[in-house]
Amino acid sequence: MTLRFWRGWSIGLRMAFITMLPVALLFSAFVGYSWYAHRAQVDEELAERGRILARALAETSEYNVISGNLSDLRLTINGLVQSDTSVYRIDVVDTAGRNRVGVVSEHPILPQPGGRWYEAPIRKQVVWINLFSDNGTPHVSASSDTRPPTMTSEVVGRVRVTMSPTNMLDKQVRRFRIELAMAALALIASGALAFILARSLTVPLREAIAVLRRIRGGNVRVQLPVTTGGEVGELQSSIGEMSVALDDARQDLENRVAERTRDLLASRNEALRADADKRKLIQKVNSIIEDERKSIAIEIHDELNASLIAVRLESQTIQLLANKAPPGPEVEQIATKAQAITKLALDLYANGRRLVRRLRPEVLDMLGLHGAVEEMVNHYRSAGVVFDFHTEGDFSKIGNELAISAYRIVQEALSNIMKHAGAGYARVSLVLSEASDALQIEVRDDGEGFDPALASEGIGIIGMRERVFALGGSIQVRSTPGEGTLVAIALPLGDASEVS
């Protein structure tokens, strides 16, 4: 599940969020539990004091209730209520439920929420006393072991104590505020520490990204000082080494290209000055140009792409080290940036490969157009599609530019078949018609097909169409859903029929 609000955040904000989220949750849990604990402590203490006070008053007010001397009991209860700020009210009721004594505290307090009170029964106690011994004579004293027990009889009333949490709760609130302030200070300190740590990691990464963007923009010689250690420091060092290697390779290639270009221009100028061998020399120069393109392509492949492969291996090593490190947000960011460097190196490598292919397809030099297309068809046969290849004509008369364009067009058509058509059979036809002075190319398949009126042209068809139009040719794409697709192309030979 992808969080949408997460996508637009910076690296520092993400790291701070990851760091502070558990701290904030812990802070909330601590505050909630602390408040609950203080309230529970107040309730427990009130309940314990209320039960003890009710029991003590019940045991000492038996005589006053039985004798009806309630004034002394009222004075005692009144003194107790006024001296203890946690007592809101004390009532003494008889067995009929009538209130005999009721004293309310004069302190500005409120009763316990819910109207809870604590009661204890007032019991009348009877002591049995025998004044005569077994022989009928009165006895004067006896040991404590032989004294008659006190017998508890009926209940003559109840003591009801209503407690107030006001004062206790005020004390607990003051303690809770102190704890809350300390927790808030700890939360602020954690946030500041998270910001400092996040910045210490994001600043080097941001500098590395800026340098990589400059390299991608063409400024390969940049300076990236190593400002930290660990994997991030290795990343900075690798980027600096990559920058130096790329700049050296580019300078060397530029020097070689400039040197050989000067040689080619000199050869071409000398050939133009020779009247008798002018055309032959021009053809030779064109051949040399193609050879130089091939040579430059080989140098790009062997030197520049080799450096890019080394860069990719270095970044993959950093990613492996990050994966082996203890899990954490910083390690995850390092692995992500190493993966981004790997992707950038792969993109640069792919650009180099595309440049090599644009300069000169190697297979054309070895096999010619007929052999190159046949070898391409054989390659795609290994993917499970049955291919039929048909040719007519002498392809040695086709020029380099036309041969390269025809090769690319067939390559794109076969790639579309393998990617999108879902075909089981395909046929490639190359016919060099001298009557029409054109090269006829047809690529047919029995795949899924499509409706040209509804489907938009893909990148492959657009690329083929541009190549054909550049040579002044024509292209037709005919397709029906469920019946496959036919791509028919006609490329005029023109001056390209001359061997270069």
Side-chain angles (χ1 to χ4, degrees):
M1 178 180 178
T2 304
L3 302 178
R4 294 185 177 179
F5 70 90
W6 180 273
R7 297 178 182 175
W9 289 10
S10 63
I11 299 175
L13 185 58
R14 293 186 184 187
M15 295 181 64
F17 177 78
I18 294 173
T19 305
M20 289 303 299
L21 180 60
V23 177
L25 293 177
L26 184 62
F27 172 79
S28 301
F30 170 77
V31 171
Y33 175 77
S34 177
W35 176 249
Y36 168 78
H38 286 303
R39 290 299 304 266
Q41 183 178 357
V42 170
D43 293 339
E44 291 175 1
E45 187 173 351
L46 285 177
E48 183 179 0
R49 294 180 66 176
R51 285 191 293 268
I52 293 175
L53 187 58
R55 224 173 15 248
L57 286 175
E59 292 176 357
T60 58
S61 60
E62 171 196 358
Y63 171 75
N64 299 89
V65 174
I66 296 175
S67 64
N69 185 14
L70 300 177
S71 58
D72 293 340
L73 179 60
R74 183 184 298 274
L75 290 176
T76 301
I77 293 175
N78 185 67
L80 180 61
V81 170
Q82 305 308 327
S83 61
D84 193 343
T85 57
S86 63
V87 179
Y88 175 74
R89 181 186 181 95
I90 297 179
D91 297 300
V92 178
V93 297
D94 56 16
T95 55
R98 294 188 301 270
N99 193 349
R100 304 295 300 277
V101 177
V103 178
V104 181
S105 175
E106 296 178 356
H107 298 287
I109 57 178
L110 298 175
Q112 196 168 3
R116 288 182 292 175
W117 60 80
Y118 307 93
E119 286 188 346
I122 303 173
R123 301 180 182 276
K124 181 170 67 175
Q125 299 179 352
V126 179
V127 180
W128 295 92
I129 302 176
N130 188 2
L131 301 179
F132 296 91
S133 303
D134 295 337
N135 56 7
T137 61
H139 60 79
V140 178
S141 62
S143 64
S144 60
D145 295 336
T146 60
R147 291 177 182 175
T150 300
M151 305 295 294
T152 301
S153 61
E154 60 181 328
V155 175
V156 298
R158 291 183 177 277
V159 175
R160 181 180 299 166
V161 179
T162 303
M163 305 297 290
S164 172
T166 303
N167 292 324
M168 289 186 180
L169 194 58
D170 289 342
K171 295 179 181 179
Q172 297 297 334
V173 167
R174 287 193 293 271
R175 295 176 184 175
F176 173 74
R177 288 175 178 172
I178 295 175
E179 294 174 357
L180 182 61
M182 295 178 64
L185 290 176
L187 181 64
I188 295 173
S190 300
L193 182 60
F195 174 78
I196 294 173
L197 293 177
R199 183 173 177 80
S200 66
L201 290 174
T202 56
V203 169
L205 291 175
R206 192 178 295 112
E207 294 176 352
I209 292 173
V211 168
L212 289 174
R213 287 176 177 171
R214 292 170 60 187
I215 293 175
R216 184 175 62 183
N219 185 14
V220 296
R221 192 58 180 260
V222 294
Q223 296 294 331
L224 180 61
V226 179
T227 58
T228 183
E231 289 79 2
V232 177
E234 293 180 5
L235 175 63
Q236 293 175 330
S237 177
S238 299
I239 292 175
E241 295 173 358
M242 177 189 70
S243 172
V244 174
L246 289 176
D247 184 66
D248 293 341
R250 188 187 67 175
Q251 291 294 336
D252 185 60
L253 288 175
E254 289 179 352
N255 293 334
R256 293 186 182 184
V257 170
E259 180 181 356
R260 294 181 183 181
T261 301
R262 288 193 298 268
D263 295 340
L264 292 173
L265 291 175
S267 300
R268 185 174 181 273
N269 293 333
E270 184 180 354
L272 290 175
R273 288 191 296 267
D275 295 334
D277 298 331
K278 180 176 63 176
R279 186 171 182 82
K280 182 178 179 180
L281 289 177
I282 291 176
Q283 292 175 349
K284 183 177 179 180
V285 169
N286 289 334
S287 177
I288 293 174
I289 290 175
E290 291 298 327
D291 292 339
E292 287 302 319
R293 287 180 178 177
K294 178 181 177 180
S295 176
I296 293 172
I298 292 175
E299 290 178 3
I300 292 175
H301 179 272
D302 293 342
E303 297 183 17
L304 179 60
N305 287 357
S307 299
L308 291 174
I309 291 174
V311 171
R312 186 192 68 183
L313 293 177
E314 289 291 336
S315 62
Q316 288 177 344
T317 301
I318 294 173
Q319 187 175 1
L320 290 175
L321 292 174
N323 292 334
K324 293 179 180 180
E330 299 85 357
V331 175
E332 182 180 356
Q333 291 295 326
I334 293 171
T336 301
K337 294 306 172 184
Q339 185 177 5
I341 295 173
T342 301
K343 183 179 182 302
L344 181 60
L346 289 174
D347 292 340
L348 292 174
Y349 180 82
N351 290 334
R353 291 291 300 168
R354 284 193 294 270
L355 180 59
V356 169
R357 288 194 294 270
R358 288 177 59 189
L359 288 171
R360 182 69 179 175
E362 301 89 341
V363 69
L364 284 173
D365 295 326
M366 297 182 293
L367 304 177
L369 178 61
H370 175 275
V373 174
E374 184 177 10
E375 205 227 325
M376 185 197 312
V377 171
N378 292 332
H379 171 73
Y380 281 112
R381 280 197 183 108
S382 62
V385 180
V386 178
F387 280 96
D388 183 17
F389 180 52
H390 172 72
T391 61
E392 292 182 15
D394 183 8
F395 293 93
S396 62
K397 297 181 179 180
I398 297 179
N400 290 331
E401 183 179 359
L402 182 60
I404 293 174
S405 298
Y407 178 83
R408 295 302 187 197
I409 290 171
V410 175
Q411 185 181 44
E412 187 61 43
L414 295 183
S415 177
N416 287 340
I417 292 176
M418 300 304 297
K419 291 180 180 178
H420 310 295
Y425 171 80
R427 185 174 188 272
V428 180
S429 175
L430 297 179
V431 177
L432 186 61
S433 175
E434 296 182 0
S436 59
D437 197 27
L439 173 63
Q440 305 290 335
I441 303 175
E442 286 190 1
V443 180
R444 183 190 302 270
D445 67 80
D446 63 350
E448 299 176 357
F450 60 92
D451 188 352
L454 300 178
S456 59
E457 291 185 347
I459 298 299
I461 295 179
I462 294 175
M464 288 190 293
R465 192 180 300 279
E466 292 297 330
R467 287 182 181 274
V468 172
F469 289 166
L471 297 174
S474 61
I475 179 172
Q476 292 182 354
V477 180
R478 295 192 293 269
S479 180
T480 303
E483 298 183 6
T485 303
L486 170 64
V487 179
I489 298 168
L491 299 177
L493 297 179
D495 295 336
S497 62
E498 300 176 3
V499 180
S500 58

